């Protein structure tokens, strides 16, 4: 899939990449949803902590980009609430010494947030 070389003002939708801003990689809602689905399909006891941490980093990147793009001009209370939840989730990343279950649960929380943000992008044409 090719990405536009300049920022786009077109709405976000699954399968349609968009640049969040200059210097930031293009946003691809479809790949973000695929990453969320893959993370939610993981089962505790079948993945290692290193795999969980790697997926967590990937999902964090998607959440940051999508939240910035979708909630950048959020004016409703619901959108501000989602922004606050995303900020809290991103700030609560488990430390290296945390139990595997805590890291696994955080990964699942990120995946669910990513799905919410992607749904918001599809419903509101890229703005909340």
């Amino acid at each position: 899939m090719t990405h536009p070389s300049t920022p786009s003002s077109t709405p976000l939708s699954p399968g349609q990449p968009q640049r969040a801003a200059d210097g930031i990689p293009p946003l691809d809602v479809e790949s973000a949803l695929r990453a969320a689905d893959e993370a939610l399909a993981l089962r505790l006891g079948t993945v290692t902590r290193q795999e969980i941490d790697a997926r967590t980093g990937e999902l964090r990147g998607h959440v940051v980009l999508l939240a910035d793009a979708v909630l950048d001009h959020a004016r409703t209370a619901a959108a501000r609430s989602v922004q606050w939840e995303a900020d809290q989730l991103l700030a609560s990343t488990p430390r290296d010494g945390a139990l595997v279950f805590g890291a696994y649960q955080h990964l699942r929380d990120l995946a669910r947030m990513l799905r919410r943000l992607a749904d918001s992008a599809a419903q509101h044409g890229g703005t909340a």
Side-chain angles (χ1 to χ4, degrees):
M1 178 179 291
T2 60
H3 300 291
S5 60
T6 59
S8 172
S9 61
T10 57
L12 297 173
S13 63
Q16 180 181 11
Q18 178 178 344
R19 292 185 72 84
D22 283 338
I24 297 176
L27 182 63
D28 184 354
V29 175
E30 188 174 303
S31 68
L33 283 172
R34 187 172 34 257
D37 290 343
E38 289 171 1
L40 290 170
L42 296 175
R43 296 292 168 239
L44 189 59
T46 63
V47 294
T48 65
R49 174 64 189 260
Q50 291 77 23
E51 291 171 307
I52 291 170
D53 290 344
R55 297 269 184 161
T56 297
E58 177 186 5
L59 291 185
R60 284 179 58 82
H62 284 299
V63 167
V64 167
L65 287 175
L66 197 51
D68 285 347
V70 172
L71 302 173
D72 189 34
H73 302 297
R75 305 227 191 289
T76 66
R80 286 191 302 273
S81 174
V82 172
Q83 180 69 57
W84 181 84
E85 288 178 47
D87 290 345
Q88 293 300 309
L89 184 60
L90 292 169
S92 68
T93 301
R95 303 278 184 231
D96 288 338
L99 296 176
V100 174
F101 179 77
Y104 173 76
Q105 193 59 45
H106 183 72
L107 174 70
R108 294 181 59 81
D109 291 342
L110 283 168
R112 286 189 291 270
M113 175 57 70
L114 191 52
R115 280 183 168 178
R116 285 178 65 190
L117 292 169
D119 183 52
S120 181
Q123 287 179 4
H124 299 98
T127 59

